[in-house]
Amino acid sequence: MAENKRELPKVLEIDFTITDESVNRYGWRLLVAGIVLTGFLKNPVCCVQHFTSMIPVGKWKNLRVEGQELKGTVEFDRNDEEAVRLYWKYTDGYMNAVSLNVIPVEESEDSKLLLPGQKCATLVKSELLEISLVTIPGQANAVKLSTPEGKEYKLNLLTQNREMAKEEKTVEQLNQELEAQRKLNAENLVTIHKNRGVVADGEVESIKKLALADYQSTSEMLNARQVPKTEPTGDSAETLAEALVKLHFDRGAITEGEKAIFKGAATLDYEGTKKVLEAKTGKDGLQTFVQGLTNGGNQANAGAQGERAGWGYYEYFTKDPQALALMEKNEPDKFKKLAADFQASCTPGGALL
């Protein structure tokens, strides 16, 4: 389930338009210039889904008002695995929204502030509580209203629209909306941790039911799950070790009794064991070893050794410098002869004759 690691920038930053002064789907709007940032800037945490009890995934900076828009930049915590995962979700376009949570301070029914479609008072002054990364914002311009105690706040209906109060929802409708929100929260929770790689496909539905019954406990349980380490693709360490030992046993560099020892060592440290075995001289000299490296132990390519028999220094240097280096170490006389023949075939200026 886990994806390959991607190279991270030194700083993980994304700039957002957080909100604006348009009328939202609930019929009210706020004035961006009236948002008080002082308290928030002392602790500018970036939460997820407005879950302030969870550890933040980054911090907000460069908050600014541009015209009728509040903008800001999230710096994701590059040392937090969930923060890095969310950074890629936004970078790749799978998530796009953020949402701010404010405490209303002052409302106004001034007609000069009203826009077409506005049903409730204009929020002219508010205190910024927190800004979250969200999968689906609760409103078109993504603003949540809270009381200082953290409860939901509702703006007053405009005086001229008091008759709209008759449209207040029934208890049954409110319960239906609450149940729908609980289901959405449960689905979002499972999705976040499934993307982490700690929720298997077969347990998605059961964990959703757990989250509906006890969201907080389910969230703590999933947060405690460790992300599984990605198994390397291709041949296993034991298979690679066995092939390496066979190659050097076949060329006579190790004995039957040493095979098990070197296999165990190669399973734990392939590269280190490979260097040790390559330094050993086999009974057939260098050519068998070079052929094994080139053919991967495949006997079907037996003509390779005959081809190399006619190679000189230049051919080894351009086609297989590794074999040339091993020749210098294991067969110095042959190496010196090839080097001397090559030198003799060159002009004083270094060009080949």
Side-chain angles (χ1 to χ4, degrees):
M1 289 185 286
E3 61 178 358
N4 293 332
K5 296 293 182 182
R6 297 162 66 176
E7 185 176 351
L8 288 174
K10 290 185 178 180
V11 180
L12 310 185
E13 291 182 347
I14 298 178
D15 201 60
F16 292 93
T17 297
I18 301 168
T19 191
D20 57 34
E21 295 185 354
S22 62
V23 179
N24 62 36
R25 64 180 62 141
Y26 295 138
W28 61 270
R29 72 190 190 100
L30 56 70
L31 299 185
V32 169
I35 301 175
V36 179
L37 306 176
T38 308
F40 176 77
L41 292 177
K42 294 178 181 178
N43 184 39
V45 296
C46 179
C47 301
V48 179
Q49 300 291 120
H50 296 299
F51 296 144
T52 56
S53 61
M54 296 178 66
I55 296 175
V57 295
K59 62 182 179 181
W60 285 91
K61 60 185 185 181
N62 193 26
L63 288 177
R64 63 205 185 272
V65 176
E66 293 184 7
Q68 296 184 345
E69 296 180 335
L70 176 64
K71 296 186 177 183
T73 303
V74 176
E75 181 179 343
F76 293 79
D77 182 359
R78 72 192 319 276
N79 296 312
D80 184 311
E81 183 176 346
E82 183 60 21
V84 172
R85 187 179 293 275
L86 285 167
Y87 170 79
W88 288 125
K89 291 294 181 185
Y90 279 90
T91 301
D92 295 340
Y94 292 104
M95 292 176 67
N96 299 285
V98 296
S99 174
L100 77 163
N101 187 358
V102 299
I103 299 175
V105 177
E106 181 181 348
E107 305 173 27
S108 174
E109 294 184 6
D110 189 342
S111 61
K112 295 178 181 179
L113 298 176
L114 299 182
L115 295 179
Q118 189 169 344
K119 301 175 183 178
C120 296
T122 302
L123 186 58
V124 296
K125 188 174 181 179
S126 58
E127 179 182 352
L128 179 57
L129 190 61
E130 57 91 13
I131 313 173
S132 283
L133 307 175
V134 293
T135 51
I136 302 175
Q139 299 166 227
N141 63 348
V143 181
K144 178 181 178 182
L145 300 179
S146 297
T147 66
E149 295 77 28
K151 297 181 179 179
E152 183 182 1
Y153 182 96
K154 289 188 177 181
L155 291 170
N156 291 323
L157 288 169
L158 296 173
T159 304
Q160 59 267 39
N161 290 331
R162 292 297 184 190
E163 64 274 11
M164 294 178 63
K166 298 177 183 178
E167 298 179 10
E168 287 189 2
K169 297 173 182 176
T170 64
V171 173
E172 183 180 358
Q173 288 174 319
L174 291 174
N175 286 335
Q176 289 175 348
E177 289 188 1
L178 179 61
E179 181 64 18
Q181 185 61 49
R182 290 175 62 241
K183 287 182 178 179
L184 178 61
N185 289 342
E187 289 174 358
N188 287 338
L189 178 68
V190 174
T191 298
I192 288 173
H193 291 283
K194 189 173 186 296
N195 289 337
R196 284 181 59 220
V198 299
V199 174
D201 291 338
E203 57 180 350
V204 168
E205 294 304 320
S206 60
I207 293 180
K208 283 183 183 178
K209 291 179 181 178
L210 287 176
L212 282 171
D214 187 346
Y215 182 93
Q216 188 61 35
S217 297
T218 306
S219 176
E220 292 174 358
M221 179 267 290
L222 292 175
N223 285 331
R225 288 189 174 185
Q226 297 295 318
V227 177
K229 294 182 178 179
T230 305
E231 291 294 331
T233 57
D235 294 331
S236 66
E238 187 173 352
T239 301
L240 292 173
E242 187 173 350
L244 179 68
V245 170
K246 182 179 184 305
L247 171 65
H248 291 281
F249 175 75
D250 290 345
R251 74 180 186 90
I254 59 176
T255 65
E256 181 69 35
E258 293 176 309
K259 287 173 64 176
I261 297 173
F262 281 105
K263 180 181 176 181
T267 302
L268 297 174
D269 181 5
Y270 181 88
E271 291 300 327
T273 307
K274 181 172 177 286
K275 291 179 181 179
V276 172
L277 291 173
E278 287 177 354
K280 289 179 171 287
T281 303
K283 63 183 179 182
D284 296 327
L286 177 67
Q287 292 299 326
T288 303
F289 177 40
V290 171
Q291 182 183 349
L293 285 175
T294 306
N295 302 335
N298 186 351
Q299 298 301 319
N301 199 359
Q305 184 174 358
E307 178 188 351
R308 289 172 180 267
W311 280 11
Y313 182 93
Y314 180 76
E315 285 76 16
Y316 273 106
F317 181 80
T318 56
K319 297 179 181 180
D320 197 346
Q322 182 184 18
L324 186 64
L326 289 171
M327 182 190 300
E328 182 180 13
K329 181 176 182 180
N330 297 328
E331 297 181 283
D333 292 338
K334 182 175 180 179
F335 175 83
K336 291 177 181 178
K337 184 178 185 305
L338 289 179
D341 291 344
F342 175 73
Q343 187 174 7
S345 66
C346 295
T347 67
L352 288 171
L353 292 174

